[in-house]
Amino acid sequence: MIPQLQITCVPSDWDASTLTAAGITLDDGRTLIPRDIVASDLPPDLLAVWHGAVDAISTLDPGGWAASLIIAIRGATTTYAPPAEEGMAPEQIVTPHLALAIHRRWDDGTTAPPITQTYTDPYMLHFFDVLTSPSFWWPSANTADANPS
């Protein structure tokens, strides 16, 4: 499994949403069991990014729906710049992004079609990288003191 954040949303109080980090692998190849944190328990710098992400998600499709589950994974888009000189290979440009699959429900409780969004915001990428890092959950995660499954 690749690292991902699985966010169980509480649209009436976004800070009560639960973020689950899954697919976190140690240097020795062991995979840690998924870990949860409630958004309000995030460190202040990550909580500020969380609030910005909630604002961005809230503007996607105004009115009539609420997010129920968000799956976030890190990805990258590769593009090619024209070659600087004729006969040279084009320059490869890799842009990291965070891909979100936003599962939704309508106000009447029925399921709405999911939305997929990508974000290149460095703060959102940092947020993801920190929360899917073994050291966030276990400061000694890459030592014999770790408690992985």
Side-chain angles (χ1 to χ4, degrees), residues 87-130:
M88 293 185 68
E91 179 184 353
Q92 182 179 23
I93 301 169
V94 177
T95 306
H97 66 258
L98 194 60
L100 303 181
I102 304 167
H103 299 265
R104 313 175 298 152
R105 66 178 178 272
W106 297 115
D107 289 343
D108 67 5
T110 59
T111 302
I115 297 174
T116 302
Q117 290 290 119
T118 58
Y119 296 93
T120 57
D121 179 82
Y123 295 105
M124 289 178 78
L125 289 164
H126 173 74
F127 179 88
F128 179 85
D129 290 345
V130 168

Side-chain angles (χ1 to χ4, degrees), residues 15-82:
D15 284 355
S17 298
T18 301
L19 292 81
T20 302
I24 301 171
T25 304
L26 297 173
D27 291 342
D28 65 7
R30 295 178 295 165
T31 300
L32 303 176
I33 59 173
R35 289 293 184 197
D36 298 332
I37 188 168
V38 175
S40 61
D41 293 336
L42 290 167
D45 60 328
L46 295 179
L47 186 59
V49 176
W50 170 252
H51 289 152
V54 167
D55 290 345
I57 290 167
S58 298
T59 63
L60 291 177
D61 186 14
W65 65 270
S68 55
L69 175 69
I70 300 171
I71 305 294
I73 60 170
R74 199 177 215 289
T77 303
T78 303
T79 57
Y80 295 90

